[in-house]
Amino acid sequence: MIGRACPHIEKQSNDKNPPSGSSSINLDAKLRKRADDGNPVRVGIIGAGKFGSMFLSQAGHHPGYHVLGIADLSIDRTKASLRRVGWTDDQFAAKDAASAYREGTTWLTQDADALIAADGLEVIIDATGSPAAGIRFALKAIEHGRHIIMVNVEADVLAGPLLAKRAEAAGLVYSMAYGDQPALISEMVDWARAIGLPVTCAGKGTKYLPIYHHVTPDDVWHHYGLTPEQAQAGGMNPQIFNSFLDGTKSAIEMAAVSNACDLVPQDCGLQFPACGVDDLPRLLCPRDSGGILERKGTVEVVSSLERDTRPVFRDLRWGVYVTFEAPSDYVARCFKEYGLLTDPSGQYSTMFKPYHLIGLELGISVASAALRGEATGTSRAWSGDAVATAKRDLKPGEMLDGEGGYTVYGKLMPAHSSKARNALPIGLAHHLKIKRPVGVDQTLTWDDVEFDAKDPAIAFRKEMEETFGK
């Protein structure tokens, strides 16, 4: 059933391939039990870009996964991605989903709806990056009884709480993507709370300077140390990469963490302090304790660059963290006894993970949803929002071009403030026409743009706001 879909698997001795006893809670053991039963977890993925390709590179190394199908607008691009990560042509030669199921191979299609509806599919991964498409595919997956792994953080921040509610009502899992930073942060928050440590702040690292908010795709590459020619040769999309640089992705990901962990963003949004790992508990605690936070129970992104562009010592550019508070003097003493980093008072400490492996780790979400019925982070409330903010003065008649483009960047805002200000979410700032002047760094509102209230994505977002914004 799985041999050709998982070409790298060879029979291993028991010291490398432990028995899969039914009493085990280990995901690897449970996956191997499914493989031994001839019933691997059948998964479909929409979008064969970088994140999807990284997952596909790993899925072939474990017999417990069968990639039933891959949907992408370009079959040629999908084939190129598969070959790049080590797949052979016979592995994706299935003519349809039924033959892929029988043969243990993979079906390539441009029809995402057909993939979602395919018999035998358990889990669907949305790795498209399109907020509107993400909402539509998630609703289609719920209709067909598929667990949903939402790599598409843009869609999750736009309407994740309502999608998660719909999935839960249908007995399905709606999950963040393990390997991406929001899911890893959610895991750390859950760890702290599960052992009785109040969470003060959670977040990630990035490369940040204030000037980045106004960078456009035309001048993005030199900030990455690349020439346009080098970027083109690597197949890199300037607008996507710019969304990471200009602060949009940070705003989106911290909104996702806020919604999954019930952490309310600061009124100022994100401050992006220059901070190395040794200073996390000192800086990321409340102001009245010597830190920079407006309140406890919030999110923040730390920069790997000082404001004068010097590199931060022991930066956390690729990692995630959680800071927490000792609930008693005894626990604070334990922090000291076991060598934890703390602020000067000894009351605040931190845990951090220096790296994340994005799609290489995505199998954890797939297995957790299919085998445990659990999400690796899910939107539970509407606590944070990522709103469209002008990169420059915008004039009536201009068209917005979304994340990482020439017109707007995303800024984190508490959800209650977003609703009160009638703010335009960054996930819907695509192909909307400006109808009145908007100044640079000003938050755009629905009153600033022309829009169709009957558009499915807009209507679903409005429903989400009414459901969770009370």
Side-chain angles (χ1 to χ4, degrees):
M1 288 290 293
I2 59 173
R4 285 199 281 169
C6 303
H8 308 290
I9 297 299
E10 297 179 359
K11 187 65 178 177
Q12 299 177 349
S13 60
N14 284 337
D15 61 332
K16 295 182 180 179
N17 185 8
S20 54
S22 59
S23 62
S24 174
I25 63 169
N26 181 271
L27 285 178
D28 174 62
K30 289 179 178 291
L31 283 166
R32 292 184 186 278
K33 178 65 165 60
R34 287 283 298 265
D36 291 344
D37 292 341
N39 184 31
V41 176
R42 292 184 173 87
V43 57
I45 184 166
I46 308 171
K50 180 65 172 178
F51 205 115
S53 295
M54 293 180 79
F55 167 71
L56 292 167
S57 75
Q58 294 305 101
H61 288 279
H62 201 297
Y65 302 107
H66 173 195
V67 181
L68 185 68
I70 305 168
D72 193 279
L73 295 176
S74 171
I75 297 295
D76 288 342
R77 181 173 57 203
T78 304
K79 290 178 178 179
S81 295
L82 289 170
R83 290 165 181 150
R84 187 181 307 117
V85 301
W87 287 45
T88 57
D89 288 10
D90 65 328
Q91 297 169 243
F92 49 83
K95 64 180 181 180
D96 53 33
S99 60
Y101 185 94
R102 290 193 308 271
E103 300 162 3
T105 54
T106 299
W107 175 46
L108 306 187
T109 179
Q110 293 176 302
D111 189 345
D113 289 344
L115 174 60
I116 293 170
D119 288 342
L121 189 72
E122 292 181 70
V123 180
I124 193 73
I125 300 168
D126 181 330
T128 64
S130 167
I135 291 173
R136 187 172 73 82
F137 293 144
L139 293 175
K140 180 70 69 171
I142 293 168
E143 176 187 340
H144 287 277
R146 316 303 187 208
H147 300 305
I148 305 149
I149 310 301
M150 188 58 84
V151 176
N152 188 344
V153 190
E154 293 81 1
D156 183 64
V157 169
L158 188 62
L162 186 55
L163 290 172
K165 183 177 181 179
R166 295 276 182 90
E168 184 178 17
L172 299 168
V173 173
Y174 173 88
S175 179
M176 291 177 171
Y178 199 86
D180 215 359
Q181 288 162 309
L184 300 181
I185 295 167
S186 296
E187 179 183 54
M188 298 185 83
V189 169
D190 185 61
W191 165 83
R193 287 174 172 166
I195 61 173
L197 296 173
V199 171
T200 304
C201 188
K204 67 167 195 168
T206 196
K207 179 182 178 182
Y208 171 85
L209 290 172
I211 60 170
Y212 291 167
H213 287 309
H214 305 116
V215 173
T216 73
D218 288 342
D219 53 358
V220 64
W221 294 127
H222 82 271
H223 293 291
Y224 284 97
L226 298 170
T227 66
E229 293 74 23
Q230 289 171 327
Q232 184 176 15
M236 301 176 182
N237 183 308
Q239 186 158 343
I240 291 175
F241 274 75
N242 197 39
S243 71
F244 286 90
L245 188 73
D246 70 8
T248 298
K249 186 65 75 171
S250 290
I252 288 172
E253 291 185 333
M254 291 306 98
V257 172
S258 296
N259 297 337
C261 301
D262 196 23
L263 297 171
V264 179
Q266 301 165 89
D267 294 337
C268 64
L270 295 171
Q271 302 179 66
F272 295 98
C275 181
V277 296
D278 300 318
D279 289 324
L280 288 169
R282 179 180 66 82
L283 283 180
L284 300 178
C285 64
R287 290 172 182 167
D288 59 10
S289 297
I292 66 166
L293 302 178
E294 297 174 350
R295 64 172 72 91
K296 299 178 183 179
T298 190
V299 293
E300 184 59 89
V301 174
V302 296
S303 176
S304 63
L305 293 177
E306 300 284 355
R307 292 300 191 260
D308 62 5
T309 76
R310 287 180 297 119
V312 166
F313 177 66
R314 282 178 32 95
D315 69 79
L316 194 67
R317 178 177 178 183
W318 307 110
V320 297
Y321 74 89
V322 60
T323 60
F324 42 84
E325 184 177 3
S328 67
D329 290 341
Y330 175 80
V331 173
R333 188 162 65 250
C334 289
F335 287 173
K336 182 177 182 180
E337 289 171 351
Y338 286 87
L340 272 70
L341 296 169
T342 69
D343 74 318
S345 75
Q347 294 296 310
Y348 294 95
S349 187
T350 190
M351 282 287 186
F352 65 90
K353 185 174 184 178
Y355 304 108
H356 68 296
L357 296 176
I358 60 171
L360 298 183
E361 301 181 78
L362 186 56
I364 298 295
S365 291
V366 175
S368 182
L371 304 178
R372 292 178 175 168
E374 294 181 354
T376 51
T378 193
S379 298
R380 303 185 182 280
W382 190 37
S383 298
D385 201 12
V387 302
T389 310
K391 281 191 172 181
R392 54 176 174 77
D393 291 340
L394 301 175
K395 300 176 182 178
E398 290 193 82
M399 297 294 291
L400 300 182
D401 56 359
E403 301 92 340
Y406 295 84
T407 57
V408 290
Y409 65 92
K411 182 176 181 180
L412 181 65
M413 183 179 290
H416 63 82
S417 297
S418 174
K419 185 173 183 182
R421 296 176 65 173
N422 198 30
L424 176 68
I426 187 67
L428 292 175
H430 297 256
H431 310 299
L432 297 181
K433 184 181 291 187
I434 294 289
K435 67 179 185 181
R436 63 184 188 181
V438 181
V440 62
D441 294 323
Q442 180 179 324
T443 298
L444 278 76
T445 72
W446 284 105
D447 296 328
D448 295 323
V449 296
E450 297 177 6
F451 65 94
D452 178 7
K454 295 181 180 179
D455 177 274
I458 293 175
F460 197 81
R461 162 67 185 211
K462 293 292 187 181
E463 182 181 353
M464 191 278 293
E465 291 181 6
E466 291 303 313
T467 303
F468 291 88
K470 299 176 181 178

